[in-house]
Each structure stands twice: as structure tokens, then as C-alpha cells.
Amino acid sequence: MSLKNSRILVIDDDTDVLTAVRLLLKTEAKEVVTEKNPENIRHLLSKNEFDLILLDMNFNSTIHTGNEGIFWLKKIKEFSNSPAVVMITAYGDIDLAVRSLKEGASDFMIKPWHNEKLISTIAEALKKRNAAKVNSTAPKTSFDSIIGTQLLGNSEAMKDIFVKIEKIAPTDANVLILGENGTGKDLIAQAIQQKSLRNNKAFIKVDAGALTESLFESELFGHKKGAFTDAREDRIGRFEAADGGTIFLDEIGNISLQQQAKLLSVLQNRQVIKLGSNEPVEIDIRLICATNLPLSELANENRFRKDLIYRINTVEIVLPPLRSRKEDIHLLAQHYASLYADKYIKPKIEFDKKAIDKLQAYHFPGNVRELQYTIERAVIMADGESLQADDLIFSPIESARQMEEEKPDMNLGTVEKNTILRVIEKHNGNITKAAKELGLTRTALYRRLSKYDI
């Protein structure tokens, strides 16, 4: 069914929206029917056959949950031969939109929209519906369609993330990826790049947290010859190298407030000024950032600028720790067993049931990265084609760290010393800021540093 031959129903409680869509689609579709009251959906679908419905997500009706569109979407899907549904919302709520996709919506649009985008979205939804009819199966969201077999998961949490990637990637929205160390934030960034419209352009990864104050501007923005002692030639920065493509700033939560101010200026103006130059260079980049800090810590303005958070966090993806998606452990373990059996020229390796039970029972403080190293070690040491429970030796580094966290030294002096060390580290050695957070004067903090021989 092409757009020209389609019958479209538009349901929205805003008469201006109904009028605008009707006029836009009048020459594009065979028939356009508009309806202000969603209560009439059942009657309309029982008397007419529509190919597609544009459905608002929020109505001023008797349902005041903010999820009215989801409610009516479910009712539409109860009809046999139900039409494709494209959700419309005035709120950029990506999570609610993802939920609508899981409930069977074909796509969603955010008000206000560009007319060309709305028409192309409708045409694509009709195309998907036709393909689904031909194949007798609905299209699925799969990690295989995103990034081969590197990004794995059958858990609901990972399925939600795969859907988000599919929706986010083709846009130029800035993305913030949150998650503990070892959860695979860099893989998510790569997946977004591969599914983006910039996939044939540069993908530049920067460990932002590892850049010192002196290197930050030079590495990210570039420098001119003679800008500083070792600047023997002109050099472009990472942002300029990523022009037309994507730049991935890993560990963004570890950069200082001064570095944040410089980064914010670049993102606002879409220009970089090299060290030793006054000439701005225009850049066209898609920004992806990642951090292991929770959003609550980033929201602390003593640590991170709120205006920068808003700039980098158009959409956020929160990667769950492996311990909260245990149903993925077996799948990941099999993947790594196959990978390392090929690498080390071993026969195909299977898992004994007790080995799987041992994996499922472990808490994996090091997340997927720890699982990967555990399986690699086991494959190397295995004598047969079956991994036993005894072959699985978990990371002594993670175990020691976990024991240290679980059995803290509660000696008052030790607690005070460790608190001072953490706060100083948090502020990158800035004594003034550390003293302020600890509620001490600089002099009092220096006395404690001397007391604990820090």
C-alpha cells in the first residue's frame, strides 16, 4: 500500500493540528479522516478500514495518567487487521515513545514537526506494514541488526536499549551513556555511529577523563605552531578531525569545571579556536558522551555544570549492570567461549550445567568485562570440550575490591582519612574546593593532611 492509495485516520484533541495534517495530506493520501475524541476510535475502526492512524499521546480526557496514547494504542491493536500507528507527542519523552513502540506502534513524531519528515515517516510506516503482511511476521528489534554479535542481550532492559538505538541513531541528537565500568558503553556509542547517517564518516573516541588541564585544549581543539614549547607544527584537534562525523567523549564526568566551560563554548558555537590562533574553525559533529557516574552526581553543580549537562544529554541511555540482567549471562558466556575457542584454536566448547549455575549465582562487580576475561581464562586452561564449574575463576581484583567495600574499616581516624582522600581526589587536588565541601578552612584541612601524613 503506497501513501497515494492509503486511508489515514488522524486523532488529536487539537483542532489546529487536525486541520494542518488534513491540508498537508490532502494531496498525498487517498483519504484523510480526522477525529478529536478518542472515544470514537472503536466506532470508526468497526465501520471503516484504515491503513494508518496518527494518534496523539496526550488527551484531555477522562484518563489523566499521561499515557492516554498508550491506552488507545492497545485498543487499536485489539482489532484484527489493525492499521499501522504513528504516535504524536508534544513532549520529547523518549522513554514513553519507546514504550509505545514495544506496544506495537510503528513510529513516533514530536510536535512541532517538519512536513517532509511527517510524510516520510508515514510512508515508511506503511512500507513496514506491507512488509509485515507479506512475511506474516512483525519486524523485530535485534542486536544483530545493530552491531553484529558484539552487543548481546535478550533481557527486557537490553531490548529497550536496542529500540532506543534504532530511534536515536538516525538523528543528530547528543547522547549521554550512563553505566558502571565494564557494561559496554563504548559498544553502545559504536552502535549509534554505525546506525547513524554519519556512519561513513569519522568516529573519534577521546578518553576525556585522562586529559590533563595542559593537554585538554590542544588535544580537543588543536594548536598552531609555536603556541607552546613543544608545538613544532600545526595540529588539528579531535573535534576538527571528527568534522562531518561523530566524536565520543568517554569518562566525561571526570573533567574539571574549567574544562567543562571550554567544552560548553565549543558545543554552543559549533566552533573551535586552536591554541595560538584567534580564527574560529566551524565544526559539524555529532556528540556522544559516556560516564560511570550516576546522573545524581552529575546534577551536583559543584562537580558538573548544569548547562553542560543539558547540552550533552538530549537523550540518555542507562546501561544496566550485568547482575541486574542475569538472563543475558549464558548468552554472553557462549559468545565469548566461541570467540576465544577460535582465537586459541580450541574445539567448540560447551558449558556444564554447574558451570552455568556458578555464572548465574555470581554478582559480577566487573560486569561484562569481568565475564569476558573469566571465559577467556577458562577457555585457555580447559583440557576438554566442556567447561566445568571449577574452570571458572573470577577476578581476584574484583573480589578484593568487593571485600574492601563490604568490610570497611570503621576506625574513626581511618574513616576521616579516607573521606579526605576521596574529596581531594574528587576535586582533582584542589584544596580550596575540598576544604569547602568538607566544611573546613584550608588551614584546618592542611593540619589534617599533616596528621595523616597525606
Side-chain angles (χ1 to χ4, degrees):
M1 174 66 63
S2 66
L3 178 54
K4 280 289 184 185
N5 297 322
S6 63
R7 302 182 75 243
I8 296 175
L9 173 62
V10 187
I11 306 169
D12 197 302
D13 60 357
D14 187 333
T15 54
D16 290 339
V17 170
L18 295 178
T19 301
V21 175
R22 184 173 65 249
L23 292 174
L24 174 64
L25 298 179
K26 185 177 180 180
T27 58
E28 300 288 339
K30 181 178 179 179
E31 182 180 1
V32 179
V33 177
T34 60
E35 175 57 55
K36 187 175 181 180
N37 186 358
E39 300 284 349
N40 293 327
I41 288 177
R42 293 187 185 88
H43 175 74
L44 286 166
L45 291 183
S46 64
K47 299 294 184 181
N48 304 276
E49 185 172 333
F50 294 99
D51 301 298
L52 182 137
I53 295 178
L54 286 172
L55 175 65
D56 193 17
M57 274 187 169
N58 295 276
F59 293 92
N60 296 321
S61 67
T62 55
I63 305 169
H64 297 289
T65 62
N67 297 321
E68 299 95 327
I70 301 291
F71 174 84
W72 292 114
L73 172 63
K74 291 179 179 179
K75 295 301 179 185
I76 292 168
K77 289 301 173 181
E78 290 175 1
F79 283 80
S80 59
N81 195 28
S82 61
V85 180
V86 174
M87 309 297 290
I88 306 173
T89 179
Y91 314 102
D93 189 331
I94 194 72
D95 291 320
L96 189 59
V98 166
R99 184 181 163 199
S100 74
L101 296 175
K102 290 182 67 179
E103 295 291 349
S106 299
D107 211 330
F108 69 93
M109 290 292 298
I110 297 175
K111 302 175 189 175
W113 57 72
H114 294 294
N115 289 342
E116 296 81 2
K117 176 62 176 174
L118 179 60
I119 290 172
S120 66
T121 298
I122 292 173
E124 184 64 25
L126 289 169
K127 182 179 176 182
K128 286 182 180 179
R129 182 174 184 252
N130 294 339
K133 280 185 174 181
V134 170
N135 296 325
S136 299
T137 57
K140 299 177 181 178
T141 301
S142 159
F143 55 81
D144 289 323
S145 68
I146 296 175
I147 190 170
T149 56
Q150 295 183 64
L151 198 55
L152 304 178
N154 286 327
S155 62
E156 286 301 312
M158 292 307 295
K159 287 178 181 177
D160 283 350
I161 287 172
F162 297 148
V163 173
K164 277 191 176 183
I165 291 173
E166 293 282 3
K167 296 303 301 180
I168 293 166
T171 75
D172 267 345
N174 294 336
V175 182
L176 177 62
I177 306 169
L178 302 170
E180 295 179 7
N181 287 332
T183 49
K185 296 186 290 294
D186 56 340
L187 286 180
I188 296 292
Q190 291 174 44
I192 293 171
Q193 162 69 2
Q194 290 185 17
K195 297 292 288 184
S196 77
L197 301 179
R198 299 171 180 258
N199 59 5
N200 61 342
K201 303 292 184 180
F203 178 73
I204 305 296
K205 179 181 176 181
V206 183
D207 186 352
L211 295 178
T212 63
E213 292 284 352
S214 58
L215 285 176
F216 186 82
E217 285 188 82
S218 175
E219 283 293 315
L220 292 186
F221 312 142
H223 62 250
K224 300 290 288 184
K225 181 180 178 180
F228 49 88
T229 304
D230 292 326
R232 297 185 177 90
E233 58 185 7
D234 290 356
R235 178 183 176 184
I236 67 170
R238 305 292 183 89
F239 272 89
E240 195 174 349
D243 187 45
T246 300
I247 187 164
F248 173 41
L249 301 183
D250 200 7
E251 300 306 337
I252 188 74
N254 294 337
I255 67 175
S256 69
L257 288 170
Q258 184 179 1
Q259 292 170 332
Q260 291 169 34
K262 294 171 182 175
L263 178 59
L264 179 62
S265 177
V266 169
L267 297 179
Q268 286 176 332
N269 300 318
R270 294 287 158 166
Q271 296 176 339
V272 295
I273 299 177
K274 297 179 181 180
L275 284 175
S277 171
N278 293 320
E279 294 294 325
V281 178
E282 301 286 338
I283 54 166
D284 170 27
I285 55 100
R286 201 267 179 85
L287 177 69
I288 302 175
C289 297
T291 179
N292 59 7
L293 294 179
L295 199 57
S296 59
E297 287 195 40
L298 291 178
N300 180 353
E301 288 196 83
N302 290 324
R303 178 158 195 169
F304 212 88
R305 295 176 61 113
K306 187 175 289 185
D307 47 3
L308 181 56
I309 279 287
Y310 284 125
R311 181 67 62 175
I312 69 176
N313 188 27
T314 305
V315 180
E316 69 187 49
I317 294 178
V318 182
L319 271 174
L322 186 57
R323 61 184 171 275
S324 69
R325 56 181 185 106
K326 286 184 174 291
E327 56 265 57
D328 292 335
I329 290 176
H330 191 180
L331 175 68
L332 287 162
Q334 287 182 318
H335 166 68
Y336 289 123
S338 175
L339 179 70
Y340 290 117
D342 289 342
K343 179 177 179 178
Y344 298 116
I345 317 175
K346 296 261 189 173
K348 182 179 178 180
I349 291 180
E350 301 292 342
F351 287 85
D352 178 78
K353 183 181 183 305
K354 290 184 178 179
I356 293 298
D357 291 341
K358 184 174 181 178
L359 289 172
Q360 295 283 3
Y362 185 60
H363 54 279
F364 284 103
N367 291 296
V368 178
R369 185 181 297 139
E370 184 183 2
L371 172 63
Q372 178 182 353
Y373 293 151
T374 298
I375 301 302
E376 180 178 15
R377 185 187 303 112
V379 169
I380 291 172
M381 300 304 294
D383 293 323
E385 298 180 9
S386 175
L387 286 181
Q388 309 297 311
D390 290 344
D391 295 323
L392 300 171
I393 301 173
F394 300 116
S395 170
I397 297 172
E398 296 293 348
S399 298
R401 181 176 67 85
Q402 190 74 7
M403 289 177 64
E404 187 68 24
E405 291 175 355
E406 290 175 356
K407 297 181 179 180
D409 186 344
M410 298 307 293
N411 177 274
L412 191 58
T414 304
V415 171
E416 184 178 54
K417 177 181 177 181
N418 290 337
T419 301
I420 290 171
L421 286 170
R422 281 198 301 271
V423 174
I424 290 175
E425 182 180 357
K426 173 182 174 180
H427 292 290
N428 299 311
N430 188 311
I431 297 298
T432 301
K433 291 180 180 179
K436 183 178 179 181
E437 180 167 335
L438 290 165
L440 301 171
T441 64
R442 282 170 55 91
T443 303
L445 179 53
Y446 276 122
R447 282 201 300 268
R448 283 169 170 77
L449 293 176
S450 177
K451 173 184 175 182
Y452 295 119
D453 194 25
I454 298 176

